[in-house]
């Protein structure tokens, strides 16, 4: 299948008051820009999207009555379907149904929970083609990036199916008096977990947090972003087909402004992925109820190119780190710090690589980048670039919309000369835009990398792995990849992932990603004699005896192991 592609050359973007689509790439034919996306290709993608809904057991909601919301494909600009516009009472009802199912689920064995998660894993792979089609149709991303999140979904389900029981197993701990005090710590499910997921990774951010919560014995009520609800509904279908009670994983659709507060007020814990501002509000509301909250929030993620970095590999990795999912990835790179000795080799090569990226809107494997999620988001991304240019920044490549590809497509963009007065300098762009900065040494690179309230992800490129690891340890970020952009940490599902500072609370993946959905319970059994003065022994004598014992314990290092 062919698609329109572009390799945009550097240009000055339109002024801030111009619509981004007013400009077109210098190498695009005027007739291409007037025609817009190929109609036949869009029709074929829409038909595949509709077929994906059918294959996944969904319909387009055409027969729905009452309040509904329309969902439009950023890939083709066509309607996908309609979903119910639910209200606060519907959220309360969904949570109640989930509570009923959770009481039964909590009594099931870990083996049975694992069976359901592995069956879900198998369905994800068996139905990968319609899942990929649906994710692309609903989010607009390139197929390779849709595959990344499909793989992450399956990997996370497999990991918790196999490792969840081990992470949550009851464990004996040393008691107050060895031999007399027996202590066992248990992990109990929280109850109903509310998950609020974003549009940028509609499959894995709906499913991966959910499978951890389910393995821990909880039920889940998911509020997906209104731009991508059908992928969340597909997750519900797959979990039900895998053997989960239909009430165990509920999906509520509607505006976040209407459903967010009642969801937080009804559940026993919250997992939120989204902006720092909204995450702060979510955490505040959850904190008022004293319920746990975990949040992966924004990032302005740095990448450091050391003087000895292998240029070819670093360029390829940097392109992926900046432009995967068109930069609409919390852990993507937006700040690039290049050692002055590597600048003249690295920067021109990076510009050439960015210019060679194929931006397209089709359900095939040819595009390196897809369109952005919406016209509103495109305008926000371009506003960052336009503001920077107006204040003196230089566009090395990109900096413009690509209307001949699609109404929300934007060129991969690299900037230099970005300074503190520009919006793009410190604020998260969440698009295919990165700024390059020349640094004199590693210390300056680390200082600038840490000069941000965010601390989600970072990347270091070097030929000296020992130096790279040492430098990584100095960066204030929840994950740091050496000679990778983000995939090494993201794909390591046995290791925790999350942010520092303004980038969030809590972790997903690893033991931390499932233990957070439980509360610990300590059961202590005292044998032979209680921990108090025996009859006939005064408190003073008892205190002297305890003092002697506790001072002796100081000399027994093995006692506290």
């Amino acid at each position: 299948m062919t698609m329109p592609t572009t390799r945009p050359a550097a240009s000055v973007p339109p002024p801030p008051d111009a619509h981004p689509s007013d400009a077109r790439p210098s190498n695009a034919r005027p007739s291409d820009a007037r025609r817009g996306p190929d109609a036949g290709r869009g029709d074929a993608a829409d038909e595949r999207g509709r077929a994906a809904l059918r294959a996944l057991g969904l319909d387009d909601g055409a027969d729905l009555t009452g309040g509904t919301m329309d969902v439009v494909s950023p890939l083709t600009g066509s309607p996908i379907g309609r979903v119910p516009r639910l209200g606060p009472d519907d959220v309360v009802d969904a949570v109640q149904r989930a509570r009923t199912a959770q009481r039964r689920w909590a009594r099931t064995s870990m083996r049975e929970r694992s069976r359901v998660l592995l069956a879900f894993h198998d369905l994800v792979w068996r139905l990968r083609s319609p899942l990929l089609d649906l994710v692309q149709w609903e989010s607009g991303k390139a197929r390779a990036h849709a595959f990344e999140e499909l793989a992450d979904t399956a990997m996370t389900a497999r990991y918790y199916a196999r490792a969840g029981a081990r992470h949550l197993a009851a464990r004996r701990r040393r008691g107050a008096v060895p031999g007399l005090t027996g202590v066992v710590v248990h992990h109990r499910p929280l109850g109903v977990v509310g998950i609020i997921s974003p549009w940028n990774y509609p499959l894995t951010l709906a499913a991966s947090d959910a499978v951890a919560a389910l393995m821990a014995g909880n039920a889940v009520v998911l509020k997906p972003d209104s731009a991508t609800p059908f992928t969340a509904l597909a997750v519900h279908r797959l979990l039900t087909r895998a053997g989960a009670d239909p009430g165990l994983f509920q999906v509520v659709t509607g505006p976040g402004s209407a459903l967010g507060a009642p969801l937080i007020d009804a559940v026993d814990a919250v997992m939120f992925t989204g902006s720092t501002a909204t995450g702060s509000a979510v955490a505040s509301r959850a904190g008022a109820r004293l319920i746990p909250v975990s949040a992966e929030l924004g990032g302005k993620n740095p990448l450091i190119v050391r003087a000895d970095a292998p240029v070819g590999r670093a360029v390829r990795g940097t392109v992926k780190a900046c432009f995967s999912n068109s930069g609409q990835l919390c852990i993507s790179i937006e700040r690039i710090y290049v050692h002055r000795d590597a600048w003249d080799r690295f920067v021109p090569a990076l510009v050439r690589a960015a210019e060679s990226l194929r931006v397209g809107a089709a359900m095939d494997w040819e595009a390196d980048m897809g369109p952005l999620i919406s016209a509103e988001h495109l305008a926000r991304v371009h506003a960052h670039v336009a503001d920077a240019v107006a204040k003196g920044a230089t566009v090395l490549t990109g900096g413009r919309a690509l209307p001949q590809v699609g109404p929300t497509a934007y060129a991969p963009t690299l900037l230099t000369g970005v300074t503190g007065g520009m919006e793009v300098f410190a604020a998260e762009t969440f698009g295919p835009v990165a700024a390059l900065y020349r640094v004199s040494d590693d210390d300056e690179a680390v200082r600038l990398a840490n000069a941000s309230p965010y601390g989600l992800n970072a990347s270091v490129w070097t030929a000296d792995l020992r130096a790279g690891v040492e430098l990584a340890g100095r960066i204030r970020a929840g994950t740091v990849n050496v000679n990778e952009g983000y995939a090494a940490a993201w794909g390591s599902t046995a290791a925790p992932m999350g942010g520092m500072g303004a980038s969030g609370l809590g972790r997903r993946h690893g033991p931390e990603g499932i233990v957070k959905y439980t509360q610990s319970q300590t059961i202590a059994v005292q044998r032979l004699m209680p921990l108090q003065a025996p009859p006939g022994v005064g408190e003073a004598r008892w205190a002297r005896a305890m003092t002697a014992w506790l001072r002796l314990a100081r000399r027994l290092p093995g006692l506290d192991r």
Side-chain angles (χ1 to χ4, degrees):
M1 180 183 295
T2 61
M3 69 162 77
T5 61
T6 183
R7 294 174 170 82
S11 64
V12 176
D17 58 349
H19 190 277
S21 62
D22 290 345
R24 63 175 178 263
S26 57
N27 62 337
R29 297 190 305 273
S31 59
D32 288 341
R34 286 196 299 269
R35 287 176 61 246
D38 181 75
R41 179 176 52 81
D43 290 345
D46 287 331
E47 181 50 44
R48 283 178 61 174
R50 288 188 284 270
L53 290 179
R54 294 191 295 270
L56 296 166
L58 303 173
D59 63 59
D60 63 6
D63 298 328
L64 286 173
T65 59
T68 60
M69 299 189 308
D70 294 327
V71 182
V72 176
S73 170
L75 195 72
T76 67
S78 302
I80 293 175
R82 298 187 299 172
V83 295
R85 181 185 290 267
L86 301 180
D89 290 344
D90 299 302
V91 171
V92 173
D93 291 344
V95 173
Q96 187 54 52
R97 290 193 298 271
R99 286 200 185 284
T100 300
Q102 190 272 333
R103 285 191 285 270
R104 296 189 295 267
W105 180 249
R107 295 193 294 269
T108 62
S109 67
M110 297 299 279
R111 182 185 297 272
E112 172 61 13
R113 297 178 201 171
S114 174
R115 185 198 66 76
V116 171
L117 264 61
L118 288 175
F120 172 75
H121 164 278
D122 295 344
L123 284 168
V124 168
W125 287 119
R126 190 180 310 156
L127 296 169
R128 62 188 178 276
S129 291
L131 278 172
L132 289 173
D133 287 349
L134 178 57
V135 169
Q136 281 197 276
W137 200 33
E138 201 169 39
S139 71
K141 65 180 61 181
R143 199 165 188 83
H145 305 148
F147 180 80
E148 278 191 353
E149 68 166 307
L150 182 140
D152 182 67
T153 300
M155 290 164 59
T156 305
R158 186 197 71 216
Y159 171 73
Y160 283 120
R162 291 180 172 172
R166 181 173 73 252
H167 295 324
L168 300 181
R171 285 179 170 79
R172 294 187 179 278
R173 302 289 176 88
R174 184 189 65 79
V177 180
L180 298 182
T181 310
V183 174
V184 178
V185 177
H186 302 266
H187 292 286
R188 309 299 189 194
L190 294 169
V192 178
V193 176
I195 297 178
I196 302 174
S197 63
W199 49 260
N200 60 322
Y201 279 77
L203 177 60
T204 193
L205 294 180
S208 295
D209 292 311
V211 296
L214 294 173
M215 190 66 192
N218 301 284
V220 169
V221 177
L222 169 70
K223 195 288 178 202
D225 190 274
S226 296
T228 54
F230 283 100
T231 304
L233 293 168
V235 173
H236 177 269
R237 288 289 190 184
L238 266 59
L239 282 169
T240 302
R241 287 179 62 177
D245 186 311
L248 192 64
F249 179 84
Q250 300 276 314
V251 180
V252 291
T253 55
S257 58
L259 304 188
L263 179 63
I264 296 168
D265 291 346
V267 297
D268 303 303
V270 177
M271 174 67 210
F272 173 82
T273 305
S275 72
T276 297
T278 304
S280 178
V282 167
S284 178
R285 193 171 190 106
R289 295 189 56 228
L290 299 180
I291 63 171
V293 60
S294 183
E296 184 184 283
L297 306 177
K300 191 72 175 175
N301 305 304
L303 180 148
I304 295 174
V305 180
R306 297 187 73 238
D308 66 347
V311 170
R313 184 178 174 188
V315 165
R316 289 191 298 273
T318 301
V319 166
K320 180 178 176 62
C322 294
F323 303 123
S324 286
N325 199 29
S326 303
Q328 300 168 123
L329 172 60
C330 295
I331 53 178
S332 68
I333 296 299
E334 296 192 7
R335 298 180 289 149
I336 305 170
Y337 299 104
V338 184
H339 193 283
R340 61 188 178 190
D341 293 343
W343 182 272
D344 290 339
R345 292 176 290 120
F346 176 82
V347 175
L350 180 65
V351 171
R352 289 192 298 271
E355 290 176 345
S356 73
L357 291 176
R358 295 163 297 185
V359 183
M363 288 181 182
D364 57 29
W365 296 91
E366 299 304 314
D368 299 308
M369 262 180 50
L372 301 181
I373 187 66
S374 67
E376 293 78 13
H377 189 57
L378 182 145
R380 285 192 293 269
V381 169
H382 181 71
H384 273 205
V385 176
D387 172 76
V389 171
K391 295 174 180 176
T394 299
V395 178
L396 297 180
T397 187
R400 59 180 66 195
L402 303 176
Q404 80 281 11
V405 172
T408 63
Y410 199 79
T413 299
L414 295 171
L415 305 173
T416 58
V418 172
T419 58
M422 302 172 187
E423 189 74 13
V424 75
F425 179 80
E428 183 179 31
T429 303
F430 213 64
V433 178
L436 292 122
Y437 305 87
R438 191 193 307 255
V439 295
S440 59
D441 54 31
D442 289 350
D443 289 340
E444 183 183 12
V446 170
R447 178 178 61 80
L448 293 173
N450 289 336
S452 169
Y454 297 112
L456 188 56
N457 181 51
S459 175
V460 176
W461 291 85
T462 180
D464 186 337
L465 294 184
R466 179 175 296 180
V469 170
E470 188 277 331
L471 191 151
R474 297 165 58 194
I475 298 175
R476 182 174 163 271
T479 56
V480 184
N481 297 263
V482 178
N483 291 344
E484 243 298 339
Y486 64 83
W490 182 26
S492 300
T493 51
M497 183 172 183
M500 297 180 180
S503 290
L505 304 166
R507 296 292 184 267
R508 60 166 54 100
H509 290 175
E512 293 86 345
I514 189 170
V515 171
K516 72 181 182 182
Y517 293 123
T518 68
Q519 50 192 343
S520 62
Q521 181 186 49
T522 299
I523 298 179
V525 176
Q526 189 63 28
R527 302 180 181 90
L528 298 180
M529 58 177 293
L531 291 178
Q532 64 186 78
V537 177
E539 292 294 341
R541 290 177 61 193
W542 174 250
R544 288 195 295 271
M546 288 300 295
T547 298
W549 157 244
L550 294 174
R551 294 182 69 179
L552 174 63
R554 167 68 174 81
R555 304 175 186 177
L556 303 174
L559 191 65
D560 294 312
R561 291 176 183 168

